[in-house]
Coordinates of all heavy atoms in Angstrom, one line a residue:
M1 N 5.9 142.6 140.5 CA 6.9 143.1 141.3 C 7.8 144.0 140.5 O 8.3 143.6 139.5 CB 7.7 142.0 142.0 CG 8.8 142.4 142.9 SD 9.8 141.1 143.6 CE 8.7 139.7 143.7
S2 N 8.1 145.2 141.1 CA 9.0 146.1 140.4 C 10.4 145.7 140.5 O 10.8 145.0 141.4 CB 8.8 147.5 140.9 OG 9.4 147.7 142.2
E3 N 11.3 146.3 139.6 CA 12.7 146.1 139.7 C 13.3 146.5 141.1 O 14.1 145.8 141.6 CB 13.5 146.9 138.6 CG 13.4 146.2 137.3 CD 14.3 147.1 136.3 OE1 15.3 147.6 136.7 OE2 13.8 147.2 135.1
Q4 N 12.8 147.7 141.6 CA 13.3 148.2 142.9 C 13.0 147.2 144.0 O 13.8 146.9 144.8 CB 12.7 149.6 143.2 CG 13.1 150.6 142.2 CD 12.0 150.8 141.1 OE1 11.3 149.9 140.8 NE2 11.9 152.0 140.5
V5 N 11.7 146.7 144.0 CA 11.3 145.8 145.1 C 12.1 144.5 145.0 O 12.6 144.0 146.0 CB 9.8 145.5 145.0 CG1 9.4 144.4 145.9 CG2 9.0 146.8 145.4
A6 N 12.3 144.0 143.8 CA 13.1 142.8 143.6 C 14.6 143.0 144.0 O 15.1 142.1 144.7 CB 13.1 142.3 142.1
A7 N 15.1 144.1 143.7 CA 16.5 144.4 144.1 C 16.6 144.5 145.6 O 17.6 144.0 146.2 CB 17.0 145.7 143.5
L8 N 15.7 145.1 146.3 CA 15.7 145.2 147.8 C 15.6 143.8 148.4 O 16.2 143.5 149.4 CB 14.6 146.2 148.3 CG 15.0 147.6 148.4 CD1 13.8 148.5 148.8 CD2 16.2 147.9 149.3
A9 N 14.7 143.0 147.8 CA 14.5 141.7 148.3 C 15.8 140.8 148.3 O 15.8 139.8 149.0 CB 13.4 141.0 147.5
E10 N 16.7 141.2 147.5 CA 18.0 140.5 147.5 C 18.9 140.9 148.6 O 19.9 140.3 148.9 CB 18.7 140.7 146.1 CG 18.0 140.1 145.0 CD 18.6 140.3 143.6 OE1 19.8 140.9 143.6 OE2 18.0 140.1 142.6
R11 N 18.6 142.0 149.3 CA 19.4 142.5 150.4 C 19.1 141.7 151.7 O 18.0 141.2 151.8 CB 19.1 144.0 150.7 CG 19.3 144.9 149.5 CD 20.7 145.2 149.0 NE 21.5 145.5 150.1 CZ 22.8 145.0 150.2 NH1 23.3 144.3 149.3 NH2 23.5 145.4 151.2
D12 N 20.0 141.7 152.6 CA 19.9 140.9 153.8 C 18.6 141.4 154.6 O 18.5 142.5 155.0 CB 21.1 141.1 154.7 CG 21.1 140.2 155.9 OD1 20.5 139.1 155.8 OD2 21.6 140.6 156.9
G13 N 17.7 140.5 154.9 CA 16.6 140.7 155.7 C 15.3 141.2 155.0 O 14.2 141.2 155.5
W14 N 15.5 141.8 153.8 CA 14.4 142.3 153.1 C 13.6 141.2 152.4 O 14.1 140.2 152.0 CB 14.9 143.3 152.0 CG 15.4 144.6 152.5 CD1 16.7 144.9 152.9 CD2 14.7 145.8 152.6 NE1 16.8 146.2 153.3 CE2 15.6 146.8 153.1 CE3 13.4 146.2 152.3 CZ2 15.2 148.1 153.3 CZ3 13.0 147.5 152.6 CH2 13.9 148.5 153.1
R15 N 12.3 141.5 152.3 CA 11.4 140.5 151.5 C 10.4 141.3 150.7 O 10.0 142.4 151.1 CB 10.7 139.5 152.4 CG 9.7 140.1 153.4 CD 9.0 139.0 154.1 NE 7.9 139.5 154.8 CZ 7.7 139.6 156.1 NH1 8.7 139.2 156.9 NH2 6.7 140.2 156.6
A16 N 10.1 140.8 149.6 CA 9.1 141.4 148.7 C 7.7 141.0 149.0 O 7.4 139.9 149.4 CB 9.4 141.0 147.2
E17 N 6.8 142.0 149.0 CA 5.4 141.8 149.2 C 4.6 142.6 148.2 O 4.2 143.7 148.4 CB 5.0 142.2 150.6 CG 5.8 141.4 151.7 CD 5.4 141.8 153.1 OE1 4.5 142.6 153.3 OE2 6.0 141.2 154.0
G18 N 4.5 142.1 147.0 CA 3.8 142.8 145.9 C 4.5 144.0 145.5 O 5.7 143.9 145.0
F19 N 4.0 145.2 145.6 CA 4.6 146.4 145.2 C 5.5 147.1 146.3 O 5.9 148.2 146.1 CB 3.5 147.4 144.8 CG 2.5 147.8 145.8 CD1 2.8 148.8 146.8 CD2 1.3 147.1 145.9 CE1 1.9 149.1 147.8 CE2 0.4 147.4 146.9 CZ 0.7 148.4 147.9
A20 N 5.7 146.3 147.4 CA 6.5 146.8 148.5 C 7.6 145.9 148.9 O 7.5 144.7 148.6 CB 5.6 147.2 149.7
A21 N 8.6 146.4 149.6 CA 9.6 145.6 150.2 C 9.7 145.9 151.7 O 9.5 147.1 152.0 CB 11.0 145.8 149.5
R22 N 9.9 144.9 152.5 CA 9.8 145.2 154.0 C 11.0 144.5 154.6 O 11.5 143.4 154.2 CB 8.5 144.6 154.5 CG 8.4 144.7 156.0 CD 7.1 144.1 156.5 NE 6.1 145.0 156.0 CZ 4.8 144.5 155.9 NH1 4.5 143.3 156.2 NH2 3.9 145.4 155.5
V23 N 11.5 145.1 155.7 CA 12.6 144.6 156.5 C 12.3 144.9 158.0 O 11.6 145.9 158.3 CB 14.0 145.1 156.1 CG1 14.1 146.6 156.4 CG2 15.1 144.4 156.7
H24 N 12.7 144.1 158.9 CA 12.5 144.3 160.3 C 13.8 144.5 161.0 O 14.8 143.8 160.7 CB 11.7 143.1 160.9 CG 10.4 142.9 160.4 ND1 9.3 143.6 160.8 CD2 9.9 142.1 159.4 CE1 8.2 143.3 160.1 NE2 8.6 142.4 159.2
Y25 N 13.9 145.4 162.0 CA 15.1 145.6 162.7 C 14.7 145.7 164.2 O 13.7 146.2 164.6 CB 15.7 147.0 162.3 CG 16.5 146.9 161.0 CD1 15.9 147.4 159.9 CD2 17.7 146.3 160.9 CE1 16.5 147.3 158.6 CE2 18.4 146.2 159.7 CZ 17.7 146.7 158.6 OH 18.4 146.6 157.4
E26 N 15.7 145.3 165.0 CA 15.5 145.4 166.5 C 16.8 145.9 167.1 O 17.9 145.4 166.7 CB 15.2 144.0 167.1 CG 14.9 144.1 168.5 CD 14.3 142.8 169.1 OE1 13.9 141.9 168.3 OE2 14.3 142.6 170.3
G27 N 16.8 146.8 168.0 CA 18.0 147.4 168.6 C 17.6 148.3 169.8 O 16.6 149.0 169.7
A28 N 18.4 148.2 170.8 CA 18.2 149.0 172.0 C 16.8 148.9 172.6 O 16.2 149.8 173.1 CB 18.5 150.5 171.7
G29 N 16.2 147.7 172.4 CA 14.9 147.4 173.0 C 13.7 147.9 172.1 O 12.6 147.7 172.4
D30 N 14.0 148.5 171.0 CA 13.0 148.9 170.0 C 13.0 148.0 168.8 O 14.0 147.5 168.4 CB 13.2 150.4 169.6 CG 13.0 151.4 170.7 OD1 12.1 151.1 171.6 OD2 13.8 152.4 170.7
R31 N 11.8 147.9 168.3 CA 11.6 147.1 167.0 C 10.9 147.9 166.0 O 10.0 148.6 166.3 CB 10.8 145.8 167.3 CG 11.5 144.9 168.3 CD 10.9 143.6 168.5 NE 9.4 143.6 168.4 CZ 8.7 142.5 168.6 NH1 9.2 141.4 169.0 NH2 7.4 142.6 168.5
Y32 N 11.4 147.8 164.8 CA 10.9 148.6 163.7 C 10.6 147.7 162.5 O 11.3 146.7 162.2 CB 11.9 149.7 163.2 CG 12.1 150.8 164.2 CD1 13.1 150.7 165.2 CD2 11.3 151.9 164.2 CE1 13.3 151.7 166.1 CE2 11.5 152.9 165.1 CZ 12.5 152.8 166.1 OH 12.7 153.8 167.0
S33 N 9.6 148.1 161.7 CA 9.3 147.5 160.4 C 9.5 148.7 159.5 O 9.0 149.8 159.7 CB 7.9 147.0 160.4 OG 7.6 146.5 159.1
V34 N 10.3 148.4 158.4 CA 10.6 149.5 157.4 C 10.1 149.0 156.1 O 10.4 147.9 155.7 CB 12.1 149.8 157.4 CG1 12.4 150.9 156.4 CG2 12.6 150.1 158.8
E35 N 9.4 149.9 155.4 CA 8.8 149.5 154.1 C 9.1 150.5 153.0 O 9.1 151.7 153.3 CB 7.3 149.4 154.2 CG 6.8 148.4 155.3 CD 5.3 148.4 155.6 OE1 4.7 149.5 155.4 OE2 4.8 147.4 156.0
Y36 N 9.5 149.9 151.9 CA 9.7 150.8 150.7 C 8.6 150.5 149.7 O 8.3 149.3 149.5 CB 11.0 150.4 150.0 CG 11.2 151.0 148.6 CD1 11.5 152.4 148.5 CD2 10.9 150.3 147.5 CE1 11.5 152.9 147.2 CE2 10.9 150.8 146.2 CZ 11.3 152.2 146.1 OH 11.3 152.7 144.8
Y37 N 7.9 151.5 149.3 CA 6.8 151.4 148.4 C 7.2 151.9 147.0 O 7.5 153.1 146.8 CB 5.6 152.2 148.9 CG 4.9 151.5 150.1 CD1 5.3 151.9 151.4 CD2 4.0 150.5 150.0 CE1 4.8 151.4 152.5 CE2 3.4 149.9 151.1 CZ 3.9 150.4 152.4 OH 3.3 149.8 153.5
A38 N 7.2 151.0 146.0 CA 7.7 151.4 144.7 C 6.7 152.4 144.0 O 7.2 153.3 143.4 CB 7.8 150.1 143.8
P39 N 5.4 152.2 144.0 CA 4.6 153.2 143.3 C 4.7 154.6 143.7 O 4.7 155.5 142.9 CB 3.1 152.7 143.6 CG 3.3 151.2 144.0 CD 4.6 151.2 144.7
S40 N 5.0 154.8 145.0 CA 5.1 156.2 145.5 C 6.6 156.5 145.8 O 6.9 157.7 146.1 CB 4.3 156.5 146.8 OG 4.7 155.5 147.8
D41 N 7.5 155.6 145.6 CA 9.0 155.7 145.7 C 9.3 156.4 147.1 O 9.9 157.5 147.1 CB 9.5 156.6 144.6 CG 11.0 156.4 144.4 OD1 11.6 155.3 144.8 OD2 11.6 157.3 143.9
C42 N 8.8 155.8 148.1 CA 9.0 156.3 149.5 C 9.2 155.2 150.5 O 9.0 154.0 150.2 CB 7.8 157.2 149.9 SG 6.3 156.2 150.2
V43 N 9.7 155.6 151.7 CA 10.0 154.7 152.8 C 9.2 155.1 153.9 O 9.1 156.3 154.3 CB 11.5 154.8 153.2 CG1 11.8 153.9 154.4 CG2 12.4 154.3 152.0
L44 N 8.5 154.1 154.6 CA 7.8 154.3 155.8 C 8.4 153.5 156.9 O 8.8 152.4 156.7 CB 6.3 153.9 155.6 CG 5.5 154.7 154.6 CD1 4.1 154.1 154.5 CD2 5.4 156.1 154.9
Y45 N 8.4 154.1 158.1 CA 8.9 153.5 159.3 C 7.7 153.2 160.3 O 6.8 154.1 160.5 CB 9.9 154.4 160.1 CG 11.2 154.6 159.3 CD1 11.4 155.6 158.5 CD2 12.2 153.6 159.5 CE1 12.6 155.8 157.8 CE2 13.4 153.8 158.8 CZ 13.6 154.9 158.0 OH 14.8 155.1 157.3
W46 N 7.7 152.0 160.8 CA 6.7 151.6 161.8 C 7.4 151.1 163.0 O 8.3 150.3 162.9 CB 5.8 150.4 161.2 CG 5.1 150.8 159.9 CD1 5.7 150.8 158.7 CD2 3.8 151.2 159.8 NE1 4.7 151.1 157.7 CE2 3.5 151.4 158.4 CE3 2.7 151.3 160.7 CZ2 2.3 151.7 157.9 CZ3 1.5 151.7 160.2 CH2 1.3 151.9 158.8
K47 N 6.9 151.5 164.2 CA 7.5 151.0 165.4 C 6.6 149.9 165.9 O 5.3 150.1 165.9 CB 7.6 152.1 166.5 CG 8.4 151.7 167.7 CD 8.8 152.9 168.5 CE 9.7 152.5 169.6 NZ 10.2 153.6 170.4
V48 N 7.1 148.7 166.2 CA 6.4 147.6 166.6 C 6.3 147.5 168.1 O 7.3 147.6 168.8 CB 7.1 146.3 166.0 CG1 6.3 145.1 166.4 CG2 7.2 146.4 164.5
K49 N 5.0 147.4 168.5 CA 4.8 147.4 170.0 C 5.2 146.1 170.6 O 5.5 145.1 169.9 CB 3.3 147.6 170.2 CG 2.7 148.9 169.7 CD 2.8 149.9 170.8 CE 2.1 151.2 170.2 NZ 1.9 152.1 171.2
G50 N 5.3 146.0 171.9 CA 5.7 144.8 172.6 C 5.0 143.5 172.3 O 5.6 142.5 172.4
D51 N 3.8 143.6 171.9 CA 3.0 142.4 171.5 C 3.5 141.8 170.2 O 3.1 140.6 169.9 CB 1.5 142.6 171.5 CG 1.1 143.6 170.4 OD1 1.9 144.0 169.6 OD2 -0.1 143.9 170.4
G52 N 4.3 142.5 169.4 CA 4.8 142.0 168.2 C 3.7 142.0 167.1 O 4.0 141.6 165.9
E53 N 2.5 142.3 167.4 CA 1.4 142.3 166.4 C 1.0 143.7 166.0 O 0.4 143.9 164.9 CB 0.2 141.6 167.0 CG 0.4 140.2 167.4 CD 0.7 139.3 166.2 OE1 0.0 139.5 165.2 OE2 1.6 138.4 166.2
T54 N 1.2 144.7 166.8 CA 0.7 146.0 166.6 C 1.9 146.9 166.2 O 2.9 146.9 166.8 CB 0.1 146.6 167.8 OG1 -1.0 145.8 168.2 CG2 -0.5 148.0 167.5
A55 N 1.7 147.7 165.1 CA 2.8 148.6 164.6 C 2.1 150.0 164.4 O 1.0 150.0 163.9 CB 3.4 148.1 163.4
V56 N 2.8 151.0 164.7 CA 2.3 152.4 164.5 C 3.3 153.1 163.7 O 4.5 153.0 163.8 CB 2.0 153.1 165.8 CG1 0.9 152.5 166.6 CG2 3.2 153.2 166.7
P57 N 2.9 154.0 162.7 CA 3.8 154.8 161.9 C 4.6 155.7 162.8 O 4.0 156.3 163.8 CB 3.0 155.5 160.9 CG 1.6 155.4 161.5 CD 1.5 154.3 162.4
V58 N 5.8 156.0 162.5 CA 6.6 156.9 163.3 C 7.3 157.9 162.4 O 7.6 157.6 161.2 CB 7.7 156.2 164.2 CG1 7.0 155.4 165.3 CG2 8.6 155.4 163.4
A59 N 7.5 159.1 162.9 CA 8.2 160.1 162.1 C 9.7 159.8 161.9 O 10.3 159.2 162.8 CB 8.0 161.5 162.8
R60 N 10.2 160.2 160.8 CA 11.7 159.9 160.6 C 12.6 160.4 161.7 O 13.6 159.8 162.0 CB 12.1 160.5 159.3 CG 11.7 159.6 158.1 CD 11.9 160.3 156.8 NE 11.3 159.5 155.7 CZ 10.0 159.4 155.5 NH1 9.2 160.1 156.2 NH2 9.5 158.7 154.5
D61 N 12.2 161.6 162.2 CA 13.1 162.1 163.3 C 13.1 161.4 164.6 O 13.9 161.6 165.5 CB 12.8 163.6 163.5 CG 11.4 163.9 164.0 OD1 10.6 163.0 164.1 OD2 11.1 165.1 164.2
A62 N 12.1 160.4 164.7 CA 12.1 159.6 165.9 C 12.8 158.2 165.7 O 12.9 157.4 166.6 CB 10.6 159.3 166.2
V63 N 13.3 158.0 164.5 CA 14.0 156.8 164.1 C 15.5 157.0 164.3 O 16.0 158.0 163.9 CB 13.7 156.4 162.6 CG1 14.5 155.2 162.2 CG2 12.2 156.2 162.4
P64 N 16.1 156.0 165.0 CA 17.6 156.2 165.3 C 18.4 156.4 164.0 O 18.1 155.7 162.9 CB 18.0 154.9 165.9 CG 16.7 154.3 166.5 CD 15.6 154.8 165.5
D65 N 19.3 157.3 164.0 CA 20.1 157.6 162.8 C 20.8 156.4 162.2 O 20.9 156.3 161.0 CB 21.2 158.7 163.1 CG 20.5 160.1 163.3 OD1 19.4 160.3 162.7 OD2 21.1 161.0 163.9
P66 N 21.4 155.5 163.1 CA 22.0 154.3 162.5 C 21.1 153.5 161.6 O 21.5 152.9 160.6 CB 22.6 153.5 163.7 CG 22.7 154.6 164.7 CD 21.6 155.5 164.5
L67 N 19.8 153.4 162.0 CA 18.9 152.6 161.2 C 18.6 153.4 159.9 O 18.5 152.7 158.9 CB 17.6 152.4 162.0 CG 16.4 151.7 161.3 CD1 16.9 150.4 160.6 CD2 15.2 151.5 162.2
R68 N 18.4 154.7 160.0 CA 18.1 155.4 158.8 C 19.3 155.3 157.8 O 19.1 155.2 156.6 CB 17.8 156.9 159.1 CG 16.5 157.1 159.8 CD 16.1 158.5 160.0 NE 15.9 159.1 158.7 CZ 15.8 160.4 158.5 NH1 15.9 161.2 159.5 NH2 15.6 160.8 157.3
E69 N 20.5 155.4 158.3 CA 21.7 155.2 157.5 C 21.7 153.8 156.8 O 22.0 153.7 155.7 CB 23.0 155.5 158.3 CG 24.2 155.4 157.4 CD 24.2 156.3 156.2 OE1 23.8 157.4 156.3 OE2 24.8 155.9 155.2
R70 N 21.4 152.8 157.6 CA 21.4 151.4 157.1 C 20.3 151.3 155.9 O 20.6 150.7 154.9 CB 21.0 150.4 158.2 CG 20.7 149.1 157.7 CD 21.9 148.4 157.1 NE 21.5 147.2 156.4 CZ 21.4 146.0 156.9 NH1 21.7 145.8 158.2 NH2 21.1 144.9 156.2
I71 N 19.2 152.0 156.1 CA 18.1 151.9 155.0 C 18.6 152.6 153.8 O 18.5 152.1 152.7 CB 16.8 152.5 155.6 CG1 16.3 151.7 156.7 CG2 15.8 152.6 154.4 CD1 16.1 150.2 156.5
R72 N 19.3 153.8 154.0 CA 19.8 154.5 152.8 C 20.9 153.7 152.1 O 20.9 153.7 150.9 CB 20.4 155.9 153.3 CG 19.3 156.9 153.6 CD 19.8 158.3 153.8 NE 20.7 158.4 154.9 CZ 20.3 158.7 156.2 NH1 19.0 159.0 156.4 NH2 21.1 158.9 157.1
Q73 N 21.7 153.0 152.9 CA 22.7 152.1 152.3 C 22.1 151.0 151.5 O 22.5 150.7 150.3 CB 23.6 151.6 153.4 CG 24.7 150.6 152.9 CD 25.5 150.0 154.0 OE1 25.4 150.4 155.2 NE2 26.4 149.1 153.7
D74 N 21.1 150.4 152.0 CA 20.4 149.3 151.3 C 19.7 149.8 150.0 O 19.8 149.2 149.0 CB 19.3 148.6 152.2 CG 19.9 147.7 153.2 OD1 21.1 147.4 153.2 OD2 19.1 147.3 154.1
L75 N 19.1 151.0 150.1 CA 18.5 151.6 148.9 C 19.6 151.8 147.8 O 19.4 151.5 146.7 CB 17.8 152.9 149.3 CG 16.6 152.8 150.1 CD1 16.2 154.2 150.6 CD2 15.4 152.1 149.4
T76 N 20.7 152.4 148.2 CA 21.8 152.7 147.3 C 22.2 151.4 146.6 O 22.4 151.3 145.4 CB 23.0 153.3 148.0 OG1 22.5 154.6 148.5 CG2 24.1 153.6 147.1
E77 N 22.5 150.3 147.4 CA 23.0 149.1 146.9 C 21.9 148.4 146.0 O 22.3 147.5 145.2 CB 23.5 148.2 148.0 CG 24.7 148.8 148.7 CD 25.3 148.0 149.8 OE1 24.8 146.9 150.0 OE2 26.2 148.5 150.5
A78 N 20.7 148.7 146.2 CA 19.6 148.2 145.3 C 19.3 149.0 144.1 O 18.4 148.8 143.3 CB 18.3 148.0 146.1
G79 N 20.1 150.1 143.9 CA 20.0 151.0 142.8 C 18.9 152.0 142.9 O 18.4 152.5 141.9
I80 N 18.5 152.3 144.1 CA 17.4 153.2 144.4 C 18.0 154.5 145.0 O 18.9 154.4 145.8 CB 16.4 152.6 145.4 CG1 15.7 151.4 144.8 CG2 15.3 153.7 145.7 CD1 14.9 150.6 145.8
D81 N 17.6 155.6 144.5 CA 18.1 156.9 145.1 C 17.9 157.0 146.6 O 16.7 156.9 147.0 CB 17.4 158.1 144.4 CG 17.9 159.4 144.8 OD1 18.8 159.5 145.7 OD2 17.4 160.4 144.3
P82 N 18.9 157.0 147.4 CA 18.8 157.0 148.8 C 18.0 158.3 149.4 O 17.5 158.2 150.5 CB 20.2 157.0 149.4 CG 21.0 157.6 148.3 CD 20.3 157.2 147.0
E83 N 17.9 159.3 148.5 CA 17.1 160.5 149.0 C 15.7 160.2 149.2 O 15.0 160.9 149.9 CB 17.3 161.6 148.0 CG 18.8 162.1 147.9 CD 19.3 162.7 149.2 OE1 18.5 163.5 149.9 OE2 20.4 162.3 149.6
V84 N 15.1 159.1 148.6 CA 13.7 158.8 148.8 C 13.4 158.4 150.3 O 12.3 158.6 150.7 CB 13.2 157.6 147.9 CG1 13.5 158.0 146.4 CG2 13.8 156.3 148.2
E85 N 14.5 158.0 151.0 CA 14.3 157.7 152.4 C 13.8 158.9 153.2 O 13.0 158.7 154.2 CB 15.6 157.2 153.0 CG 15.5 156.7 154.5 CD 15.7 157.8 155.5 OE1 16.3 158.9 155.2 OE2 15.2 157.6 156.6
G86 N 14.1 160.1 152.8 CA 13.7 161.3 153.5 C 12.5 162.0 153.0 O 12.0 163.0 153.5
R87 N 11.8 161.4 151.9 CA 10.6 162.0 151.3 C 9.5 162.0 152.3 O 9.2 161.0 152.9 CB 10.3 161.3 150.1 CG 11.1 161.6 148.9 CD 10.7 160.9 147.7 NE 9.3 161.4 147.3 CZ 8.6 160.8 146.4 NH1 9.0 159.7 145.8 NH2 7.4 161.3 146.1
S88 N 8.7 163.1 152.3 CA 7.5 163.1 153.1 C 6.3 162.7 152.2 O 6.4 162.9 151.0 CB 7.2 164.5 153.6 OG 8.2 164.9 154.5
L89 N 5.4 162.1 152.8 CA 4.2 161.7 152.1 C 3.2 162.9 152.0 O 3.1 163.7 152.8 CB 3.5 160.5 152.7 CG 4.3 159.2 152.7 CD1 3.5 158.1 153.4 CD2 4.6 158.8 151.3

C-alpha cells in the first residue's frame, strides 16, 4: 500500500484496497463510488445504479461540484496534490 492510499484511508469514509483508495457518497438521489489510484495518480468517478451492484464510469463534468470539491479537500488533507482530481486518463 502506498503512502497516498494509506493517508486517504485515514480520511472519513475512505478505505484502502491495494494500490487504490475508495469512498462512497450519496446525495440528491445519486450514488457515487470515487477511487484514487496511486500508480497513475488519478481519480475516477463511478455512478452506482439503483441495484447497488452496477457502477459505470462518469465524466467529471457530470459529477456535482460539491462532491468534486470534497474529493479535492480529502486529497489535500492526505498530502496529495488536489490537481490530480482533474487529470484525464
Side-chain angles (χ1 to χ4, degrees):
M1 177 180 336
S2 73
E3 280 184 38
Q4 297 96 333
V5 169
L8 274 175
E10 293 178 12
R11 308 287 315 139
D12 186 35
W14 287 86
R15 67 174 192 249
E17 297 179 5
F19 58 85
R22 177 180 294 157
V23 66
H24 298 278
Y25 285 101
E26 186 171 345
D30 291 325
R31 297 184 331 181
Y32 292 90
S33 177
V34 183
E35 299 171 335
Y36 168 78
Y37 290 92
S40 56
D41 200 28
C42 67
V43 173
L44 296 179
Y45 291 94
W46 301 81
K47 192 164 190 178
V48 180
K49 301 269 185 171
D51 64 7
E53 298 293 321
T54 305
V56 294
V58 293
R60 281 171 187 74
D61 61 357
V63 176
D65 287 337
L67 175 54
R68 291 188 65 194
E69 180 57 37
R70 169 66 193 273
I71 298 304
R72 287 190 294 270
Q73 179 182 354
D74 284 350
L75 291 169
T76 298
E77 292 179 10
I80 301 168
D81 181 357
E83 294 300 313
V84 304
E85 184 273 339
R87 285 183 64 192
S88 296
L89 295 179

